[in-house]
Amino acid sequence: MDNAFIEKIKEVVGEKYVKENESMASHCTFRCGGNAELFVIPGSIDELTQVVALCRGNDVEFLVIGNGSNLLVKDEGYKGVIIEVNSRISFIDVIGEDIVADAGAKLSAVAVTAMENDLGGFEFAHGIPGNIGGAVMMNAGAYGGEMKQVLKWVKVLDNEGNIITLNASELEMGYRTSIIEKKGYIVLQARIGLNIEFSEDIGLIMQMFMQKRRASQPLEYPSAGSTFKRPEGYFAGKLIEDAGLKGVSVGGAQVSVLHSGFIINKGNASASDILDLITLVQNRVYDQSGVMLSPEVRIIG
């Protein structure tokens, strides 16, 4: 990668926040994966837009990530720039019954902020280990709640470098998808509409959801949550279990014995181990049921 380009990036975000050949294992919840040729952490929405403009202007491949909770980077790594939107772009503001949150704000932090301000309706997101940006892009959800139920508008960076605001009706949100994902827009900020509730009731609901999550999901192991999308008319975990795959391993990767819909890093798994296990599961389930599972995990590199 051209040194002059790297220096321009450093001028925008500061040398401290630019890393060459950065291992992605510490930036993904799978805790594995190859290196990013260049890893950049902007400190504001303005810095983010400048970094994206530099990448586009110099024909450098780039990818914007958040908490890395739905990401698998191949062992060969990523040739280009990975831009992490995380804690440095995570401001949360309460405006009446609404919350405006930057893309890097953690869902758990937004949920706690809502509870502290007697705002209900975001409890479902408390245990999802992601950020606002990724959650909006893929319409994240749990326990009967989805982002599309609470979003009022989303501010995005489009493919021409313009900052535009999309109202809820324009988001085309479906199961784990949105117009933002389809068009490759970058989430900058979102406004969430909530309802006045008692904070004690909100806290009890959040606690109940977390207890359910701990009882049914292998949270003690690195993973990316549900590995596969839910096929129409089926549950991925049930199909995997019926195919006799619970506990099956490839290297350090394993189909969780607690929840078959999760592939976990049982111990020093490589990204290749996880990819090979994904393929094995897809083929076995297809042979057994005729259903081809699609990964929910974003695979790059």
Side-chain angles (χ1 to χ4, degrees), residues 63-74:
L63 177 73
V64 178
I65 70 167
N67 198 44
S69 57
N70 196 48
L71 187 68
L72 180 63
V73 181
K74 293 181 180 179

Side-chain angles (χ1 to χ4, degrees), residues 49-65:
T49 59
Q50 287 186 63
V51 171
V52 170
L54 279 169
C55 291
R56 286 173 172 161
N58 288 272
D59 293 321
V60 175
E61 287 288 325
F62 71 94
L63 177 73
V64 178
I65 70 167

Side-chain angles (χ1 to χ4, degrees), residues 216-218 226 236-238 246 255-264:
S216 63
Q217 298 179 9
S226 297
K238 180 75 162 53
K246 181 178 276 193
V255 176
S256 169
V257 295
L258 184 61
H259 190 315
S260 299
F262 282 59
I263 286 178
I264 60 174

Side-chain angles (χ1 to χ4, degrees), residues 157-201:
L157 187 68
D158 72 11
N159 297 320
E160 284 72 52
N162 304 306
I163 295 176
I164 59 174
T165 300
L166 300 172
N167 292 320
S169 60
E170 301 174 276
L171 294 173
E172 297 180 13
M173 302 190 95
Y175 175 67
R176 301 300 176 260
T177 188
S178 70
I179 194 171
I180 296 164
E181 182 199 33
K182 293 169 189 169
K183 293 202 171 184
Y185 293 161
I186 298 165
V187 177
L188 303 176
Q189 202 174 58
R191 184 163 186 144
I192 299 160
L194 302 172
N195 310 298
I196 296 292
E197 304 282 353
F198 289 115
S199 61
E200 293 84 356
D201 295 337

Side-chain angles (χ1 to χ4, degrees), residues 203-234:
L204 285 172
I205 293 169
M206 282 164 43
Q207 188 178 14
M208 179 184 69
F209 285 161
M210 280 307 299
Q211 286 172 347
K212 282 185 178 181
R213 194 176 287 273
R214 290 190 188 101
S216 63
Q217 298 179 9
L219 301 182
E220 69 273 27
Y221 293 104
S223 78
S226 297
T227 307
F228 301 97
K229 294 179 181 177
R230 186 179 67 236
E232 191 171 349
Y234 298 92

Side-chain angles (χ1 to χ4, degrees), residues 50-191:
Q50 287 186 63
V51 171
V52 170
L54 279 169
C55 291
R56 286 173 172 161
N58 288 272
D59 293 321
V60 175
E61 287 288 325
F62 71 94
L63 177 73
V64 178
I65 70 167
N67 198 44
S69 57
N70 196 48
L71 187 68
L72 180 63
V73 181
K74 293 181 180 179
D75 293 324
E76 296 78 16
Y78 182 80
K79 189 170 176 56
V81 180
I82 288 187
I83 305 166
E84 183 183 76
V85 178
N86 214 330
S87 60
R88 297 193 75 216
I89 307 177
S90 60
F91 186 69
I92 301 169
D93 192 18
V94 180
I95 305 171
E97 295 180 24
D98 294 354
I99 288 179
V100 176
D102 287 347
K106 291 190 185 302
L107 295 174
S108 56
V110 175
V112 169
T113 299
M115 179 186 68
E116 290 172 347
N117 288 273
D118 297 310
L119 297 174
F122 205 68
E123 296 89 339
F124 73 90
H126 178 246
I128 300 174
N131 295 352
I132 286 289
V136 169
M137 183 184 73
M138 65 174 292
N139 186 27
Y143 301 116
E146 291 179 295
M147 293 300 295
K148 71 176 182 179
Q149 297 168 358
V150 296
L151 285 171
K152 285 194 168 181
W153 54 250
V154 179
K155 196 173 288 185
V156 301
L157 187 68
D158 72 11
N159 297 320
E160 284 72 52
N162 304 306
I163 295 176
I164 59 174
T165 300
L166 300 172
N167 292 320
S169 60
E170 301 174 276
L171 294 173
E172 297 180 13
M173 302 190 95
Y175 175 67
R176 301 300 176 260
T177 188
S178 70
I179 194 171
I180 296 164
E181 182 199 33
K182 293 169 189 169
K183 293 202 171 184
Y185 293 161
I186 298 165
V187 177
L188 303 176
Q189 202 174 58
R191 184 163 186 144

